Amino acid sequence: MRLATVGTSWITRDLIAAARQQGELEPWAVCSRTMERGRAFAGENGVERVYDDYEALLAEPQVDVVYLGTPNSLHFSQMKAALLAGKAVICEKPFVSNMEEFEEIRALAEKRGGMVFEAITTCYLPNFQRLRQGMELIGPIHAARLEFTQKSSRFDALKGGNRISAFDRNYSGGALYDIGVYAVHLAAGLFGSPEQVFCISNWQQWDIDTSDALLLGYPQMVCSILCSKDSHSDQHSVIQGEKGYLLLRGSPSICDDIQLCLAGQEPVTLSQPRRWERMTYELDHFAAVFRQRDLEAVRLGLEQSERVMDILSRARAHCGLTFAADKR
């Protein structure tokens, strides 16, 4: 399957490397806003074909799959165009900006039998399944604390008055949609849809959220989520049950260190070393779905994306944070 990537950031570079490791998705073309930038990126990543016109790329019959690694606010329009062109789509997280955009994309995919997925490492990692297995050993679950805190290399530029897409409401940026989405995917994947969503967001100073604290309410448990792009921490997440707890050290995007801590017993490591780079697992799943035209797998993927987008949208509504995309 021939893969065309849109965008020239580091995440697209990592996606191309993961595709080569996976083996079925062939990096065939890149699309950039300028030919100069596109040629430079293609040369650095060993891709021959370069486009600076997205519509021309979508008109290319040899392109099977389009990967969107563009600013968040562009996901909806670019995904819609790709589906209408009959391309399979892998869209970088977060899937879209709000529930209205999500519903339109889902309806279009269902109408046309379109193949579309949100690129999110968390739920496709083997260690994510080990977390689920560990929950059965410590349950019933009554509380969880999930964290993804990582000071952005561009935060100081923001403080200096520079505006960049990652910290711009016009581009659906901010901490929650950039890194908090990983913890939200973890919560939605493990616990499902919450009945209540509360959010306190640090957004007034910079007119964009640089850190957020969410509280998700479930019938028998509560889950707190902390995400931050303006500070550092050692990133520990905990899932607490009546028989013990699970300790996840590090980012929810990789789940590389999971400890099972049963009451009165020594901790046991549940996680296993990754065989591939983090993005390769999701691509392996997507390639199989595309090859088999497994529309049920597409539906299940969209259900997970819906749970996440619902939480993100309700969190923004609770703390009063709006995006330009909400006015479409």
Side-chain angles (χ1 to χ4, degrees), residues 68-79 91-98 101 165-179 181 229 309 312 323 325 328:
L68 302 175
T70 50
N72 301 341
S73 59
L74 300 180
H75 291 177
F76 169 71
S77 60
Q78 292 178 336
M79 202 174 346
C91 182
E92 192 53 58
K93 58 78 190 165
F95 197 58
V96 285
S97 297
N98 53 50
E101 291 182 346
S165 61
F167 285 112
D168 194 328
R169 287 203 277 172
N170 291 321
Y171 291 95
S172 304
L176 180 60
Y177 272 50
D178 184 20
I179 61 176
V181 66
K229 295 188 69 176
M309 186 50 55
L312 295 177
F323 290 155
R328 285 198 182 99

Side-chain angles (χ1 to χ4, degrees), residues 145-149 233-238 246-252 257:
R145 293 179 285 114
L146 309 180
E147 180 181 341
F148 195 168
T149 298
S233 84
D234 57 0
Q235 299 198 95
H236 279 54
S237 297
V238 183
L246 296 169
L247 175 62
L248 172 62
R249 296 190 181 101
S251 163
D257 187 352

Side-chain angles (χ1 to χ4, degrees), residues 33-99:
R33 286 175 295 178
T34 68
M35 287 299 292
E36 180 181 12
R37 176 59 183 153
R39 289 191 181 109
F41 184 83
E44 293 166 0
N45 293 277
V47 181
E48 293 184 7
R49 292 162 183 81
V50 181
Y51 292 79
D52 64 354
D53 185 326
Y54 184 55
E55 291 184 2
L57 174 72
L58 294 181
E60 172 54 64
Q62 296 195 71
V63 171
D64 302 305
V65 183
V66 173
Y67 165 79
L68 302 175
T70 50
N72 301 341
S73 59
L74 300 180
H75 291 177
F76 169 71
S77 60
Q78 292 178 336
M79 202 174 346
K80 182 177 178 179
L83 286 170
L84 289 171
K87 307 301 184 185
V89 186
I90 301 170
C91 182
E92 192 53 58
K93 58 78 190 165
F95 197 58
V96 285
S97 297
N98 53 50
M99 285 301 298

Side-chain angles (χ1 to χ4, degrees), residues 95-143:
F95 197 58
V96 285
S97 297
N98 53 50
M99 285 301 298
E100 291 75 16
E101 291 182 346
F102 175 83
E103 293 294 352
E104 187 169 342
I105 291 297
R106 177 167 61 183
L108 180 61
E110 290 176 350
K111 179 180 179 180
R112 301 179 67 92
M115 315 287 284
V116 58
F117 278 99
E118 181 177 7
I120 180 73
T121 55
T122 304
C123 297
Y124 297 99
L125 296 167
N127 282 337
F128 174 78
Q129 299 304 324
R130 295 187 177 94
L131 267 177
R132 281 184 149 172
Q133 295 164 5
M135 286 171 55
E136 296 178 2
L137 300 175
I138 65 170
I141 307 296
H142 295 303

